Amino acid sequence: MSDDWQQQIDALHEELIRRDDPAAWVREADAMEGARRYPRLALRGPVFGIAAQDPAVGPRWRVLKPVVDRVPQMARDGLQSYLFFTAKDDTDDRAVRRELLAGVAVLERERVDEVSACGVHYRVVRGDEFARIGDGGPEPPRPTDPEPTIRLWDRQARDHKLRDIGFTIDPGLAEGPSAGAIQLGLRAFTYTGAHFPVEVRTDSEKSVATHPEPVLLPTGFGVVERVEPEGGWRPLGVLAPTPHAARRMLYDGLAEMWALLFGLDDRTKARYAAAAQEFRALGRADEFRVDDRLFRICRVERILRTGPNGPESPRPSDVDAYGPMKLHPRMSEDGTLTHGD
């Protein structure tokens, strides 16, 4: 352990003592128990989002769009939409709108990972998603993980906003010694193994040198299903901000969505709909079986790497399923929209 990292973890420990926060101590104890019971890390692959550096706020980069997209182009499209709607709804200044729309125009036609507009720097950032694994499978939610005061099951009432937005990308701001230790442990993390292409492994090794500091993003939660007979677990659906939000995804899937998506026959549809109500009645269940299918709510963690020039962008070996495209109607400097152009 380098002196720098030892000092950071010592500082986090001292801060925990200084705060004299019983809840924080319980969270740390939960984290230590989680690391003991689920000691292995299972990589789930890269994820992408948007970060911004606004000199008016400060020199640090902050997450603007959650780091959850599966390919870089999805994040670029998200940035294109962000700039477009900022120009449309958040300003009446022609010069500001013109500069924002110039960024939109670049993103419509070029595969770029960074644009600037009105003094703000925007960047597509890359992270890695992983789950803790033990002998019994992936780690479920911890007792201290955030839960809503009132657990709602209505789809219209759900809130899927992750805590990413506004998150400061700074390895020195880890929430406690356990988070600092995870960052330390992942500092030298690279993709290894012959199942990764050579260019993927090479890019991963380069990133350790160019972006040496890992930053742990806010924890998310997801639904996974046991894969038989292999014995692995596969993720279902998107990342959720709380365990209950993940439970709602499983409930919705069973109650209605899977029947629409997968064309289930009437008998299976009825069985899943009844199972959905059984699962809902359990309240805070983190594991549920339907026929021969076993589902679990699990914790999902993400890191991104940062260096002297800020957070890491997509790597050359990251694959896109499609390219840039125009997503919105043309807009003039006075805000007039032209459709069909």
Side-chain angles (χ1 to χ4, degrees):
M1 182 183 297
S2 70
D3 290 342
D4 177 61
W5 273 95
Q6 180 65 65
Q7 290 171 6
Q8 289 188 42
I9 292 180
D10 287 346
L12 290 167
H13 187 263
E14 291 172 5
E15 172 63 15
L16 194 62
I17 294 173
R18 186 193 66 77
R19 283 164 55 191
D20 191 22
D21 183 348
W25 280 107
V26 174
R27 286 194 297 272
E28 282 297 311
D30 262 2
M32 297 303 178
E33 178 65 11
R36 184 187 69 81
R37 296 181 60 190
Y38 303 91
R40 302 186 298 277
L41 300 183
L43 181 68
R44 295 172 53 145
V47 283
F48 305 89
I50 302 297
Q53 184 187 47
D54 186 349
V57 177
R60 293 171 175 168
W61 289 84
R62 290 173 170 79
V63 176
L64 180 71
K65 294 287 185 181
V67 186
V68 295
D69 293 327
R70 288 297 165 186
V71 296
Q73 191 58 47
M74 292 178 67
R76 296 184 196 110
D77 291 347
L79 178 55
Q80 182 188 152
S81 291
Y82 174 83
L83 296 176
F84 176 86
F85 285 108
T86 300
K88 175 178 176 291
D89 301 326
D90 294 348
T91 185
D92 291 321
D93 187 311
R94 287 177 175 244
V96 169
R97 185 177 285 124
R98 181 169 58 249
E99 198 165 342
L100 292 166
L101 292 176
V104 171
V106 170
L107 289 160
E108 287 177 342
R109 64 178 185 270
E110 297 181 32
R111 202 186 297 261
V112 296
D113 293 321
E114 189 160 351
V115 297
S116 296
C118 305
V120 181
H121 305 295
Y122 301 94
R123 179 178 295 176
V124 177
V125 296
R126 181 196 193 281
D128 278 297
E129 188 177 85
F130 63 93
R132 286 192 171 276
I133 300 288
D135 292 340
E139 183 183 13
R142 299 170 184 167
T144 50
D145 283 328
E147 293 276 17
T149 304
I150 301 175
R151 294 192 296 275
L152 302 175
W153 295 88
D154 186 351
R155 186 183 308 163
Q156 283 69 36
R158 83 174 41 178
D159 181 2
H160 275 309
K161 291 183 179 178
L162 293 166
R163 292 180 294 151
D164 288 23
I165 299 174
F167 179 85
T168 301
I169 301 173
D170 185 337
L173 297 179
E175 292 185 356
S178 61
I182 292 174
Q183 292 182 173
L184 169 60
L186 293 173
R187 200 177 194 200
F189 163 74
T190 61
Y191 288 22
T192 59
H195 57 290
F196 291 112
V198 173
E199 58 271 23
V200 171
R201 300 198 303 268
T202 300
D203 282 351
S204 180
E205 291 165 2
K206 288 179 180 177
S207 75
V208 173
T210 59
H211 298 83
E213 306 289 358
V215 177
L216 195 64
L217 292 168
T219 302
F221 303 87
V223 181
V224 293
E225 179 181 4
R226 178 81 167 175
V227 179
E228 302 292 358
E230 295 88 347
W233 296 80
R234 65 183 174 198
L236 302 173
V238 299
L239 201 61
T242 66
H244 185 69
R247 295 184 198 110
R248 286 198 308 252
M249 286 194 296
L250 177 56
Y251 170 75
D252 281 346
L254 292 167
E256 182 180 6
M257 294 305 298
W258 293 351
L260 297 173
L261 290 173
F262 305 121
L264 303 180
D265 60 56
D266 290 343
R267 182 177 179 181
T268 304
K269 187 189 304 183
R271 170 68 188 121
Y272 280 16
Q277 300 311 314
E278 294 172 17
F279 176 66
R280 175 172 174 168
L282 294 173
R284 293 185 62 166
D286 291 324
E287 193 165 286
F288 190 66
R289 183 178 292 275
V290 183
D291 299 332
D292 60 346
R293 303 179 70 180
L294 178 63
F295 303 97
R296 179 178 293 180
I297 308 301
C298 75
R299 305 180 92 249
V300 180
E301 302 191 65
R302 295 160 297 153
I303 62 162
L304 58 76
R305 306 191 73 92
T306 189
N309 295 319
E312 183 181 17
S313 296
R315 300 170 185 171
S317 56
D318 288 323
V319 177
D320 270 318
Y322 61 97
M325 66 184 75
K326 178 174 173 290
L327 299 175
H328 303 286
R330 290 292 174 218
M331 187 189 311
S332 65
E333 292 180 8
D334 65 3
T336 302
L337 299 180
T338 303
H339 296 270
D341 181 9

